[in-house]
Amino acid sequence: MNTSSPWTVLCVDGRDAQDFLHRQLTADIAGLVPEQCVQAGLCQPDGRLLATPVVCWLEGRLRLILPADLAQPVSRRLQMFVLRDDVQLSVSDVPCRPIEANHSLAAGQTQETTDGLQLSLAGDVPRTLQLGGETSNHIDVDTWRRQTIAAGAPQIYATTSGQLLPQSLRLDQLGGVSFRKGCYPGQEVVARLHYRGQLKRLLARADIEQGSCSPGETVQMDGRGIGLVVEAVDDAALVVVHQDALGGTGETIHGQLHIAERSLHG
């Protein structure tokens, strides 16, 4: 059982912090209030996701919750665009842990408790993170990943960074992409796909029938690459695959999985 926290929290402070993040991320950060959180995308110019941080307010400062192995690359990337903005980026010492789902908290909402700040994430089932404090209702990371598969709302890891568009992870359906805001890196590609394009790589659940799978592994079918594993536990996974691979059986370097017949895009 893995009980260590897989996340690092970045603090984004300064007079221009909210406007700065609004110009860098896919979501409407300008409208984010302290009672809300959102999983947003940080994109390359070609629209592919470098990271999908959960953004929230804590103690009057904006925080980005990221997989630990992406925290430094994301911090360096954002620092490149600070220029004359009054923005300071730093690694926070506030711990972040998954806890048992707070079913009374609506998706995208936050709640301060005596134990810390609880964040309810969007998805098909409730999931809750907690910033700060100590509590007895922590869940282990494997349980969190299983919840993420059930929620159909994966995050980007270092192994999947720079490979997928926001729509392929349903980020647009989960409130993480605003099509009414101004420019951000990759905005033209993301908007063009939304208004004119057809999504070719879809998010789907899969059953692991043999071996094991890990995020970042290529899914092959009949000797050709048809997709990518984005989340996995011992017997289940989330994959992004071509539409014609739905319902089929794919292979990874260490495993075999059966892909659901329907994608999670509705």
Side-chain angles (χ1 to χ4, degrees):
M1 179 181 293
N2 185 355
T3 57
S4 61
S5 175
W7 292 284
T8 294
V9 180
L10 294 181
C11 179
V12 187
D13 197 12
R15 183 179 64 252
D16 302 322
Q18 189 167 12
D19 179 66
F20 172 75
L21 286 181
H22 187 72
R23 289 184 273 118
Q24 300 302 319
L25 303 179
T26 59
D28 179 11
I29 305 302
L32 189 71
V33 298
E35 296 78 24
Q36 296 175 334
C37 63
V38 65
Q39 185 176 9
L42 174 65
C43 295
Q44 300 177 150
D46 65 1
R48 297 181 186 275
L49 290 163
L50 292 169
T52 50
V54 175
V55 188
C56 68
W57 291 92
L58 180 66
E59 299 173 346
R61 300 175 180 177
L62 283 160
R63 311 289 175 130
L64 304 183
I65 302 169
L66 293 154
D69 56 6
L70 277 177
Q72 290 301 327
V74 166
S75 181
R76 289 194 297 267
R77 177 81 178 186
L78 291 175
Q79 190 66 53
M80 290 171 53
F81 296 97
V82 170
L83 302 178
R84 297 181 181 179
D85 291 303
D86 179 14
V87 173
Q88 296 85 47
L89 297 161
S90 60
V91 175
S92 172
D93 59 1
V94 176
C96 178
R97 300 180 181 89
I99 63 173
E100 295 174 7
N102 182 345
H103 293 269
S104 65
L105 196 59
Q109 298 298 305
T110 68
Q111 182 180 67
E112 289 192 37
T113 72
T114 55
D115 293 318
L117 182 70
Q118 294 186 3
L119 292 74
S120 181
L121 304 191
D124 298 338
V125 300
R127 295 173 301 150
T128 307
L129 291 174
Q130 180 174 293
L131 285 180
E134 293 290 340
T135 184
S136 60
N137 65 341
H138 292 164
I139 60 175
D140 64 88
V141 175
D142 291 335
T143 299
W144 172 262
R145 288 174 174 157
R146 193 172 294 278
Q147 288 183 356
T148 295
I149 292 170
Q155 66 183 359
I156 289 292
Y157 295 103
T159 53
T160 53
S161 182
Q163 300 189 64
L164 300 166
L165 294 169
Q167 288 94 326
S168 290
L169 290 190
R170 294 205 306 164
L171 206 60
D172 54 332
Q173 297 182 4
L174 299 173
V177 180
S178 171
F179 295 103
R180 295 175 302 199
K181 60 181 284 186
C183 290
Y184 54 84
Q187 186 264 345
E188 289 185 5
V189 176
V190 175
R192 188 182 308 120
L193 177 60
H194 175 70
Y195 290 111
R196 302 179 185 177
Q198 181 177 1
L199 189 61
K200 297 179 180 179
R201 302 181 75 187
L202 307 173
L203 184 67
R205 296 188 180 94
D207 295 322
I208 299 176
E209 298 179 328
Q210 294 180 23
S212 63
C213 300
S214 298
E217 293 181 351
T218 298
V219 181
Q220 293 191 330
M221 188 179 292
D222 299 325
R224 65 185 180 96
I226 51 89
L228 194 71
V229 178
V230 293
E231 187 59 272
V233 290
D234 57 352
D235 60 351
L238 286 172
V239 295
V240 173
V241 295
H242 292 292
Q243 187 170 3
D244 58 6
L246 294 173
T249 298
E251 296 180 348
T252 65
I253 188 170
H254 297 299
Q256 178 177 294
L257 46 80
H258 182 73
I259 304 164
E261 293 184 359
R262 299 185 62 182
S263 78
L264 295 173
H265 294 264

